[in-house]
Amino acid sequence: MQIHESAENYLETILILKKRLGQVRSIDIASELSFSKPSVSVAMKNLRTNGYISVDKDGYITLLEKGKEIAEKIYERHTLISDWLTTIGVDPQIAAEDACRIEHVISSETFEALKAHTQKGMNQ
């Protein structure tokens, strides 16, 4: 299923914050992304309605299976692309920003080839 780049960013952010903080609320996402609380609230409602996340009575957000799958895919892409760009001499800040854009548009075929190439390079 195809979802919008903004939804992918929210799911990835939830995953990253969960790793960093242990639990995630909308306010954490708003702070991390520098978005307004109402914007994040609308996005969380859409993600919840479409079965990507659940929100408990205390406002804690959990990735559901299909949301976690997307978040992990985007996070893997971001990490690999950012690391690769850094190794070829791109400033880490610029590499992270570029990886954020590339991770959403790169085809699965190209990403897998890049992944295989970078892993081959590390094993030499």
Side-chain angles (χ1 to χ4, degrees), residues 76 80 110-122:
E76 178 189 28
L80 186 132
T110 300
F111 177 73
E112 289 304 320
L114 178 60
K115 185 175 168 181
H117 176 75
T118 57
Q119 288 173 344
K120 187 168 88 173
M122 287 188 276

Side-chain angles (χ1 to χ4, degrees), residues 77 81 102-114:
R77 287 176 174 211
I81 293 166
I102 296 167
E103 69 195 25
H104 301 286
V105 297
I106 192 171
S107 71
S108 293
E109 181 180 349
T110 300
F111 177 73
E112 289 304 320
L114 178 60

Side-chain angles (χ1 to χ4, degrees), residues 30-103:
S31 176
E32 181 75 11
L33 297 174
S34 299
F35 290 170
S36 71
K37 291 179 217 170
S39 294
V40 172
S41 181
V42 168
M44 292 307 103
K45 181 177 185 243
N46 289 334
L47 291 173
R48 189 178 68 246
T49 301
N50 290 297
Y52 294 104
I53 64 168
S54 65
V55 182
D56 72 14
K57 62 180 177 47
D58 296 319
Y60 292 104
I61 299 164
T62 302
L63 290 168
L64 297 177
E65 193 56 42
K66 70 181 188 175
K68 188 174 183 181
E69 187 178 305
I70 293 166
E72 287 175 345
K73 177 183 92 170
I74 297 299
Y75 183 69
E76 178 189 28
R77 287 176 174 211
H78 178 89
T79 304
L80 186 132
I81 293 166
S82 182
D83 290 348
W84 176 68
L85 291 171
T86 302
T87 63
I88 62 170
V90 177
D91 176 88
Q93 177 73 31
I94 293 170
E97 291 168 7
D98 287 346
C100 266
R101 289 188 288 276
I102 296 167
E103 69 195 25

